[in-house]
Amino acid sequence: MAILLHDLCGVGDRRFSPYCWRTRMALAHKGLAVEARPTPFTKIGLIAGGGQKSVPVIEDNGRVIADSWDIAVYLEETYPDRPTLFGGPGGIALSKFVEAWTFSAIHANLIRLIVKDIHDRLLPEDRAYFRASREKRFGATLEEVQAGREARLPRLHEALAPLSETLAKQPFLGGDGPLFADYIVFGPLQWARVISPFRVLPPPGDPVTDWFERCLDLFDGLGRAMPQAV
Amino acid sequence: MAILLHDLCGVGDRRFSPYCWRTRMALAHKGLAVEARPTPFTKIGLIAGGGQKSVPVIEDNGRVIADSWDIAVYLEETYPDRPTLFGGPGGIALSKFVEAWTFSAIHANLIRLIVKDIHDRLLPEDRAYFRASREKRFGATLEEVQAGREARLPRLHEALAPLSETLAKQPFLGGDGPLFADYIVFGPLQWARVISPFRVLPPPGDPVTDWFERCLDLFDGLGRAMPQAV
């Protein structure tokens, strides 16, 4: 039976959540069949009988697992004979660092570049919740947060320096092939690609941009099949 | 026979090189006997018959290996039955990212806080070389580069955010115990501790500071045995 993934969706069945993309890629990496069920923000509380506060959530043989990190560890432990997501215990421990770096270097910069674009591509029923919760978090309107983003793009590119340097030396963070660490970083960049027409990556030829294209090609173009926002 | 480590030294046999400290910790992690031979900057060219441009360099059973990364990989391959430095192939790949992050987040900030202090604790024969090469690199005098460092300390602490977040969740970057990734980050912080009276770490209680103290305690206090600069 396919694993059920509760997957955040916007208008036109756009799947954009950075955390759901981590899980989508991890499931594909393990070669597991998946039903990625569209879930609006305002329906997260109804998932699997209730009590969930965020996505992704998966259901696998009656087990309910939330949180993209916990799901990856669950998949690694439950399906050890399939391709590894971590490449050993050192890979698990250091993926936690990649996750923390991704949050401070990418998410924190990226959200201020695309937050109004996210709002505009949400299902109508989700927009009021999203605007209220994010405007409270930022202490500013979505329009104010996103304004002047061109001037802030260099800060994101500077923050990508260690990623760029690493990917100049090896095709994936995981080495010759991708690991979950790659999907941790891919998630927010795919988020931006799918939800915002504002191009956040450096020009082609930059190691990060070229790596992102390689990630889009993985698993028969799973990531690329979700259209870029225009 | 003990492995010979050519180890940068300052006045009073102070061992301060961030890269040599990576190797010193890696050798101790593997439980290998070591002779850490003091080497001034201006004698690096005489190591192992000549041709070396930087330290660390090790000599092990007639083999000469340079570069702290290459030495760690050599030790892992040559002594596979001793405690692992990487925890598997994922750990090797992601340690490259930790190395790139450490360079941009720590080294690049730290050198501007302590460069004049380094100069002042070098052997007299090394000082002219160090001043000329670093002033050329920075396009400013050592005094100018270091001036106003108190105001730049918050930038270093901000850059440590992903490290701090990770170490709030696990005792070492490597997980329950240290891996080479820990020594990659430990190196520049030990560099600052040994060569400069300027305290660069956040106050005790910060996860990074507490982790650094744990690193100083490893291997019967190998790192702590090198006195803090006053």
Side-chain angles (χ1 to χ4, degrees):
Chain A
M1 205 174 74
I3 292 176
L4 177 60
L5 166 64
H6 299 276
D7 191 14
L8 200 63
C9 71
V11 287
D13 201 25
R14 194 178 299 264
R15 310 298 175 96
F16 64 96
S17 158
Y19 300 101
C20 290
W21 271 106
R22 293 180 182 180
T23 298
R24 194 75 193 271
M25 298 293 274
L27 288 161
H29 185 102
K30 285 283 184 191
L32 295 162
V34 57
E35 179 200 338
R37 185 176 295 175
T39 312
F41 270 120
T42 46
K43 296 276 166 54
I44 289 173
L46 303 178
I47 290 171
Q52 299 297 332
K53 296 201 181 303
S54 63
V55 284
V57 173
I58 66 166
E59 297 184 50
D60 183 24
N61 286 315
R63 283 165 293 192
V64 179
I65 305 105
D67 183 279
S68 64
W69 177 268
D70 291 346
I71 291 169
V73 171
Y74 165 83
L75 294 175
E76 189 77 346
E77 290 173 351
T78 309
Y79 302 98
D81 296 337
R82 290 167 177 263
T84 177
L85 284 164
F86 293 106
I92 295 182
L94 296 184
S95 291
K96 285 304 275 186
F97 176 72
V98 172
E99 188 177 51
W101 175 81
T102 300
F103 189 81
S104 66
I106 303 185
H107 283 257
N109 282 309
L110 210 47
I111 185 66
R112 293 173 172 275
L113 304 179
I114 64 173
V115 68
K116 174 64 164 55
D117 291 341
I118 297 173
H119 170 274
D120 294 347
R121 285 164 187 80
L122 292 180
L123 291 167
E125 66 215 70
D126 279 355
R127 291 183 192 169
Y129 151 78
F130 184 85
R131 180 178 284 278
S133 61
R134 271 52 177 182
E135 294 191 344
K136 184 178 173 194
R137 184 191 299 171
F138 289 111
T141 66
L142 301 184
E143 289 77 5
E144 287 166 345
V145 173
Q146 189 173 293
R149 58 186 173 184
E150 292 78 6
R152 291 194 309 275
L153 195 55
R155 191 189 304 168
L156 172 67
H157 292 177
E158 283 164 29
L160 294 176
L163 182 66
S164 182
E165 193 185 325
T166 307
L167 293 169
K169 293 176 186 163
Q170 57 196 44
F172 292 95
L173 274 181
D176 291 334
L179 290 175
F180 188 61
D182 289 274
Y183 310 141
I184 289 172
V185 184
F186 172 79
L189 299 174
Q190 172 77 330
W191 179 41
R193 173 183 171 274
V194 165
I195 208 73
S196 170
F198 186 58
R199 296 288 157 253
V200 300
L201 284 175
D206 182 280
V208 174
T209 305
D210 293 352
W211 158 86
F212 184 68
E213 293 293 321
R214 285 194 291 280
C215 289
L216 288 172
D217 287 334
L218 291 170
F219 317 121
D220 300 320
L222 174 65
R224 202 181 292 283
M226 187 62 55
Q228 180 166 306
V230 287
Chain B
M1 207 174 73
I3 293 177
L4 177 59
L5 166 64
H6 298 275
D7 191 15
L8 200 64
C9 70
V11 287
D13 201 25
R14 195 178 298 266
R15 310 299 176 93
F16 64 96
S17 157
Y19 300 101
C20 290
W21 271 106
R22 292 179 182 181
T23 298
R24 194 76 193 270
M25 298 293 274
L27 288 162
H29 185 103
K30 284 285 185 189
L32 294 163
V34 57
E35 179 200 338
R37 184 176 294 176
T39 311
F41 269 120
T42 46
K43 296 277 167 53
I44 289 172
L46 303 178
I47 290 171
Q52 300 297 330
K53 295 200 181 305
S54 63
V55 284
V57 174
I58 67 166
E59 296 184 52
D60 184 22
N61 287 315
R63 284 165 292 193
V64 178
I65 305 105
D67 186 278
S68 63
W69 177 268
D70 291 345
I71 291 169
V73 172
Y74 165 83
L75 295 175
E76 189 77 345
E77 289 172 353
T78 309
Y79 302 99
D81 295 337
R82 290 168 177 262
T84 176
L85 283 164
F86 293 106
I92 294 183
L94 296 184
S95 291
K96 287 304 275 185
F97 176 71
V98 173
E99 187 177 50
W101 175 81
T102 300
F103 189 80
S104 67
I106 303 186
H107 283 256
N109 282 309
L110 211 46
I111 185 67
R112 293 172 172 275
L113 304 179
I114 64 173
V115 68
K116 174 64 165 54
D117 292 341
I118 297 173
H119 170 273
D120 294 347
R121 285 165 187 78
L122 291 180
L123 291 167
E125 66 215 69
D126 278 356
R127 291 183 192 169
Y129 152 78
F130 184 83
R131 181 178 284 277
S133 61
R134 270 52 176 183
E135 292 191 344
K136 184 178 175 194
R137 184 192 299 172
F138 289 111
T141 66
L142 301 184
E143 289 75 8
E144 287 166 347
V145 173
Q146 190 172 292
R149 59 186 173 182
E150 292 78 8
R152 293 195 307 275
L153 194 56
R155 191 188 305 168
L156 172 67
H157 292 177
E158 283 164 29
L160 294 175
L163 182 66
S164 182
E165 194 184 324
T166 307
L167 293 170
K169 293 176 185 160
Q170 57 196 42
F172 292 95
L173 274 181
D176 291 334
L179 291 175
F180 189 61
D182 290 273
Y183 310 142
I184 289 172
V185 184
F186 172 78
L189 299 175
Q190 172 77 330
W191 178 42
R193 173 183 170 275
V194 165
I195 208 73
S196 170
F198 187 59
R199 296 287 156 255
V200 300
L201 285 174
D206 183 280
V208 175
T209 306
D210 293 352
W211 158 86
F212 184 68
E213 294 293 321
R214 285 194 291 281
C215 289
L216 288 174
D217 287 334
L218 292 169
F219 318 121
D220 299 322
L222 174 66
R224 201 182 292 284
M226 187 62 56
Q228 181 166 306
V230 287

